[in-house]
Amino acid sequence: MPICVSVEEMENTASFNETVLAAQEPVFVMKDGREAIVSMSPEVYESLLQEVTRAHLYDVVDCGLSDAQTGRTANAKSVTANLRAVYPD
């Protein structure tokens, strides 16, 4: 269950800070019944960044494996030769 607080609760910054730092997930700040701000501790933020990075890496690896399985590959010598032809020294 997400943690939600009102904008007014942010006025007590010490209490709000404690809430955010104690939470193991993002804290949603609500204004007029809608999400206005999402706040999180540095640890939660770093964890989310790692998850996104890991998911992106898995997507890239899956794409590479798919290319290899379907034969969409080239050897290094031909790639290098093509690059040198397009971008001479």
Side-chain angles (χ1 to χ4, degrees):
M1 182 89 177
I3 299 172
C4 299
V5 299
S6 68
V7 167
E8 291 79 20
E9 291 179 65
M10 289 180 66
E11 291 176 5
N12 183 346
T13 56
S15 175
F16 179 71
N17 189 50
E18 282 182 28
T19 300
V20 171
L21 292 178
Q24 297 300 309
E25 60 186 336
V27 175
F28 294 87
V29 179
M30 310 298 282
K31 181 176 181 181
D32 299 327
R34 302 181 73 159
E35 296 170 356
I37 299 170
V38 178
S39 186
M40 63 190 83
S41 69
E43 294 80 14
V44 170
Y45 177 73
E46 287 297 324
S47 175
L48 289 174
L49 280 181
Q50 286 180 354
E51 285 182 42
V52 168
T53 301
R54 187 175 299 115
H56 178 69
L57 176 61
Y58 289 158
D59 287 344
V60 169
V61 169
D62 285 342
C63 185
L65 290 172
S66 175
D67 285 347
Q69 290 170 347
T70 57
R72 289 187 306 262
T73 61
N75 67 45
K77 286 184 181 183
S78 66
V79 170
T80 302
N82 290 339
L83 286 173
R84 285 191 175 138
V86 173
Y87 303 103
D89 289 335

